[in-house]
């Protein structure tokens, strides 16, 4: 028989890994709550109509669709021939691809029970049929916090403060929070009369940190049939220093209402964040973010001197719930890449000590009557001390090895005199010292 | 546009529900850990070959299968005609149906890294395409604890003690832990020469609590073509009291080695559990449990005077990992029906107070410069006090209503003199009293 295995891109987690993953999830969760966000959860499966078309053509192909069952499945085959059948004919539901679209669906569905502005967080797995590679999985967790129902820029400042507090808690202090504004990008692209290529341009300039200025300009030359475009961005990329860049933008976008609004928002957020003590915030005009629904501020966080890519991302969206028929609900959110943070903290050895919850005591019962071991077990557990009892009458050496492998702190030996004298032998597994003790000394 | 909705049998969870669900999960988790169980997690999807055939024909039909994608999907349609295609042709993976089969797969796959006896717990959702009804969902959580790699009956006693401790924590004290042993059932069925009908008989007698003795005997008469069978069970069901039943079993099964072993195990477990202070354990010879893999002790817990059905179930299996090629690994486990417990505790109003984590303070900034509100926010959060700042300049009445809806304890007003005097107005949302305070009084 073949040894069993799991689907490509998925993972089993051992107790050791889970205690570290939970450290990350619990830390994020408690900061989210301190900042006033409340948890919601949505089903793993959404209706295909909810997800289809929300992530572009590429995203649609990466959905894990659920096969129809029974009569519904048979009906598909009955009424068709194999030439015309499409994958969507076989499915009504799919696993969620992110937490944002289900959140938009949740807001519209439950709008009458929500008091806006709604601060929600959600920590759940998502599924994508991407080609698996280092750091990229087919089932992975997202940790999202969003504020919906207000246009106030105070929300952006709060989210920046939240990012900073969480990453510092993880000792990932060497990070940069990059910020830009989609309104500025939009105005620049209008300025060079390339509105038709908005998505293409943003995808290209977004790669500047990976491939450098020269290659970005070359790609713009190659893909955008408008010399104004690459000339404008080449000029922009030649300027260094936030002050100089803002001055240049102000000059170029004097006549653009949208552009002026974008600059104003950016300056407001950066100024206030600095006054709040945020040190790692950096304006980055080439930051674009792939997703189409962003309309204002956009964020991305990288670890300096790391090739890991972004570990947090987010931005403001003015029309997210429009896809489900509800207008005028502006929101802003961030998403922590918990899997990448987990990999980074592992590589950098940043997890604190004491995350593993091994039992403190293991009882080795040599009294000849198993009720003695069971009663001592009860006694210790009643005092909320995590304890185990080795269940078999194996050789002491084997039992001690088991205690060692399970990181037990102390082994408690009980023998035939246990009952009359209420005494035990206590072996410290670290020092190896073994001494006689009263039961009442155990705690 | 149609209002969006979620798939049949699935649920969205609000912050209110999540805090109550987490109370259940966290309580179970912390008891599991106190008893020395370690957490593992497995992927939501398993290979179809791992799951297929493990849950009977009915179970196979209830699997949520994942549709093949891209070239693999097209290949299915290309090489076949619609008359011969089966649902399994379209799928390589399915969502897990329970936590037991994935656990067996995990043990075999990771056997070299595990030190036995392995005490693992797992709290994760499972998916079943059952017809949804009250208390039955298509996505629901299971909470399993198993001890694998020992035949010691101490494990059964520990699990009974664990069940008792958890249900008492939930104030579900009015429960019965029913225990039986598959070896006894097996010996009784052998005795009446009905081995060929083992599964059928166990399914019928298992219904005794629902439909009563008379209907069970009638069903046996109707379905088992062997009068010895219903006569034997009719005789058994006429006896009341654990002592009398054990005496009858002992007499009937004198010559059955398996039967004697079953009785011996049952008595050992019941005696020791009583000495451990367990009061609600009851022998129930009609308890059978549906699953085929149980070979020894079986448990089921019901709430007395409730129609909810079993809230915990479990048992010993000698050959669970055999399905993946590994023999000789006996284990015993229990599974908590967290969804039913959640519904019960809701109905009975058993959740403790203080489960909701609302922010303590909400700041209403009337100072005219938003940096003041942000700085006070920072000050309080630095002291680990959960605080929010109302982000918009709405009317006070609207802001106070928001504070009320979000269960905020105190509203902090700051005005233009905030900066010079470091004073605020504090409104107690419960009493309505509003007083001037120094900032340093907030904590």
């Amino acid at each position: 028989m073949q040894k069993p295995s799991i689907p490509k891109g998925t993972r089993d987690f051992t107790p050791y890994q889970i205690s570290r993953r939970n450290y990350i999830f619990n830390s994020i969760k408690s900061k989210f709550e301190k900042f006033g966000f409340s948890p919601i959860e949505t089903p793993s499966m959404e209706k295909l109509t909810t997800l289809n078309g929300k992530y572009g053509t590429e995203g649609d192909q990466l959905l894990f669709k659920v096969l129809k069952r029974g009569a519904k499945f048979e009906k598909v085959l009955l009424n068709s021939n194999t030439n015309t059948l499409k994958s969507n004919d076989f499915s009504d539901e799919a696993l969620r691809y992110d937490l944002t679209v289900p959140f938009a669906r949740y807001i519209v569905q439950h709008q009458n029970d929500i008091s806006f502005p709604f601060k929600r967080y959600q920590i759940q797995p998502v599924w994508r049929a991407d080609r698996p590679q280092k750091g990229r999985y087919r089932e992975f967790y997202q940790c999202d916090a969003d504020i919906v129902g207000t246009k106030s820029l105070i929300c952006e400042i709060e989210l920046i403060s939240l990012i900073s507090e969480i990453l510092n808690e993880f000792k990932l202090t060497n990070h940069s929070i990059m910020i830009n504004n989609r309104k500025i990008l939009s105005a620049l692209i209008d300025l060079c009369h390339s509105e038709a290529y908005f998505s293409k341009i943003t995808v290209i300039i977004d790669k500047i940190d990976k491939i450098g200025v020269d290659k970005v300009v070359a790609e713009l030359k190659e893909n955008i049939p408008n010399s104004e475009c690459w000339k404008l961005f080449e000029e922009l990329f030649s300027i260094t220093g936030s002050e100089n860049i803002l001055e240049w933008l102000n000059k170029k976008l004097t006549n653009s209402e949208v552009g002026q609004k974008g600059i104003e928002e950016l300056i407001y957020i950066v100024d206030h964040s600095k006054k709040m003590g945020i040190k790692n915030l950096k304006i980055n005009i080439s930051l674009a973010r792939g997703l189409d629904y962003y309309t204002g501020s956009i964020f991305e966080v990288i670890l300096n001197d790391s090739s890991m890519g972004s570990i947090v991302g987010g931005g403001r969206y003015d029309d997210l719930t429009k896809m489900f028929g509800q207008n005028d609900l502006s929101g802003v959110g961030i998403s922590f890449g918990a899997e990448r943070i987990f990999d980074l903290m592992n590589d950098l050895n940043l997890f604190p000590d004491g995350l593993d919850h091994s039992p403190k005591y293991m009882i080795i019962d040599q009294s000849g009557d198993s009720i003695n071991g069971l009663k001592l077990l009860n006694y210790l557990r009643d005092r909320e001390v995590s304890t185990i009892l080795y269940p078999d009458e194996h050789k002491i050496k084997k039992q001690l090895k088991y205690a060692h492998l399970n990181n037990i702190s102390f082994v408690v030996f009980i023998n035939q005199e246990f009952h009359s004298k209420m005494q035990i032998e206590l072996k410290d597994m670290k020092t190896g010292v073994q001494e006689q003790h009263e039961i009442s000394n155990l705690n």
Side-chain angles (χ1 to χ4, degrees), chain A:
Chain A
M1 191 182 284
Q2 219 187 337
K3 205 175 166 185
S5 60
I6 52 177
K8 208 164 61 165
T10 68
R11 292 163 290 173
D12 281 328
F13 294 108
T14 63
Y16 178 89
Q17 291 166 318
I18 288 177
S19 56
R20 275 144 194 82
R21 290 173 70 77
N22 282 346
Y23 167 72
I24 291 176
F25 295 137
N26 291 336
S27 302
I28 291 177
K29 193 182 141 164
S30 87
K31 294 292 180 191
F32 281 176
E33 292 186 351
K34 187 173 116 181
F35 276 67
F37 293 87
S38 300
I40 70 159
E41 287 179 15
T42 62
S44 302
M45 288 180 274
E46 292 279 349
K47 289 187 171 174
L48 201 49
T49 50
T50 299
L51 302 183
N52 251 340
K54 305 303 192 302
Y55 307 105
T57 324
E58 202 201 347
D60 280 351
Q61 284 165 0
L62 300 182
L63 289 176
F64 279 104
K65 293 174 190 164
V66 174
L67 188 60
K68 286 180 182 172
R69 292 162 305 279
K72 275 195 172 178
F73 170 78
E74 279 152 27
K75 205 176 149 197
V76 179
L77 293 177
L78 242 157
N79 296 348
S80 323
N81 70 62
T82 49
N83 299 325
T84 59
L85 282 171
K86 296 265 171 295
S87 142
N88 280 356
D89 296 322
F90 288 93
S91 175
D92 290 326
E93 296 141 359
L95 297 179
R96 70 174 159 251
Y97 181 87
D98 70 0
L99 303 178
T100 307
V101 171
F103 176 48
R105 193 264 311 142
Y106 179 99
I107 292 173
V108 177
Q109 197 175 328
H110 303 278
Q111 52 187 294
N112 297 330
D113 305 319
I114 296 173
S115 59
F116 295 99
F118 183 36
K119 298 178 84 168
R120 92 85 171 76
Y121 78 86
Q122 195 170 353
I123 300 179
Q124 288 194 282
V126 302
W127 294 266
R128 295 181 186 179
D130 251 322
R131 185 183 300 273
Q133 59 185 55
K134 190 182 181 316
R136 193 201 280 162
Y137 308 101
R138 290 190 158 186
E139 172 175 41
F140 59 97
Y141 270 78
Q142 290 192 332
C143 308
D144 284 21
D146 289 77
I147 310 165
V148 165
T150 169
K151 292 185 174 171
S152 168
L153 299 177
I154 284 178
C155 302
E156 271 88 338
I157 299 162
E158 281 215 58
L159 290 176
I160 290 166
S161 170
L162 178 59
I163 291 170
S164 177
E165 190 159 330
I166 289 176
L167 294 182
N168 289 339
E169 165 110 352
F170 291 152
K171 302 197 192 79
L172 296 170
T173 44
N174 189 22
H175 63 264
S176 299
I177 305 175
M178 297 185 301
I179 182 168
N180 194 11
N181 194 299
R182 272 278 178 109
K183 293 189 177 85
I184 295 174
L185 286 179
S186 182
L188 286 172
I189 290 169
D190 284 359
L191 185 69
C192 63
H193 307 100
S194 305
E195 298 88 331
Y197 305 98
F198 185 89
S199 290
K200 254 192 187 170
I201 295 171
T202 54
V203 168
I204 294 171
I205 66 168
D206 206 34
K207 293 193 277 189
I208 204 164
D209 289 325
K210 275 190 200 151
I211 63 174
V213 171
D214 293 349
K215 281 188 181 158
V216 162
V217 173
E219 276 200 36
L220 287 173
K221 275 185 190 174
E222 197 178 323
N223 291 286
I224 314 299
N226 179 348
S227 64
E228 278 182 276
C229 172
W230 65 261
K231 278 179 186 162
L232 183 72
F233 281 99
E234 192 175 39
E235 190 182 329
L236 166 62
F237 296 149
S238 71
I239 305 166
T240 52
S242 293
E243 291 302 318
N244 298 329
I245 289 171
L246 286 173
E247 195 184 323
W248 180 87
L249 285 173
N250 244 326
K251 216 171 61 188
K252 287 280 175 188
L253 301 177
T254 312
N255 299 318
S256 162
E257 203 182 318
V258 172
Q260 286 298 320
K261 184 97 175 75
I263 295 170
E264 192 189 299
E265 289 181 5
L266 190 61
I267 291 176
Y268 181 92
I269 294 165
V270 171
D271 277 0
H272 279 72
S273 297
K274 273 191 186 148
K275 286 183 189 154
M276 298 271 286
I278 303 294
K279 294 196 181 70
N280 302 329
L281 189 62
K282 286 173 191 163
I283 292 174
N284 179 347
I285 303 296
S286 68
L287 175 67
R289 305 275 306 152
L291 291 164
D292 276 344
Y293 50 72
Y294 291 124
T295 51
S297 307
I298 42 182
F299 316 103
E300 209 165 276
V301 183
I302 53 159
L303 210 62
N304 308 330
D305 318 319
S306 159
S307 60
M308 183 62 93
S310 80
I311 52 176
V312 187
R316 178 170 286 279
Y317 38 82
D318 281 333
D319 293 308
L320 187 66
T321 53
K322 202 163 138 187
M323 57 172 103
F324 298 115
Q326 183 163 342
N327 295 327
D328 297 324
L329 261 184
S330 184
V332 57
I334 48 170
S335 182
F336 282 80
E339 307 286 349
R340 282 186 176 179
I341 291 173
F342 175 72
D343 288 347
L344 272 171
M345 291 183 67
N346 253 332
D347 291 351
L348 300 171
N349 217 349
L350 290 179
F351 285 107
D353 291 335
L355 292 179
D356 297 296
H357 302 287
S358 304
K360 183 172 181 185
Y361 296 112
M362 184 182 100
I363 301 167
I364 293 183
D365 187 349
Q366 301 176 293
S367 74
D369 182 355
S370 57
I371 196 65
N372 291 321
L374 283 166
K375 284 198 164 164
L376 181 57
L377 194 61
N378 239 12
Y379 172 89
L380 288 168
R381 286 182 183 160
D382 276 351
R383 278 147 194 79
E384 299 300 324
V385 186
S386 176
T387 308
I388 57 172
L389 164 66
Y390 195 87
D392 294 297
E393 290 173 359
H394 292 147
K395 286 190 178 147
I396 301 297
K397 203 177 157 188
K398 186 171 179 177
Q399 299 196 42
L400 285 174
K401 190 182 168 196
Y402 181 82
H404 174 70
L405 286 172
N406 283 279
N407 294 312
I408 306 292
S409 306
F410 299 94
V411 165
V412 183
F413 290 94
I414 56 179
N415 58 30
Q416 283 156 340
E417 288 150 42
F418 163 75
H419 213 67
S420 52
K421 296 189 181 166
M422 296 306 265
Q423 281 190 337
I424 51 92
E425 292 269 336
L426 191 69
K427 185 185 178 78
D428 184 326
M429 291 297 285
K430 222 173 219 164
T431 63
V433 173
Q434 187 168 330
E435 289 174 327
Q436 207 159 57
H437 278 275
E438 304 284 314
I439 288 174
S440 54
N441 288 344
L442 301 177
N443 53 47

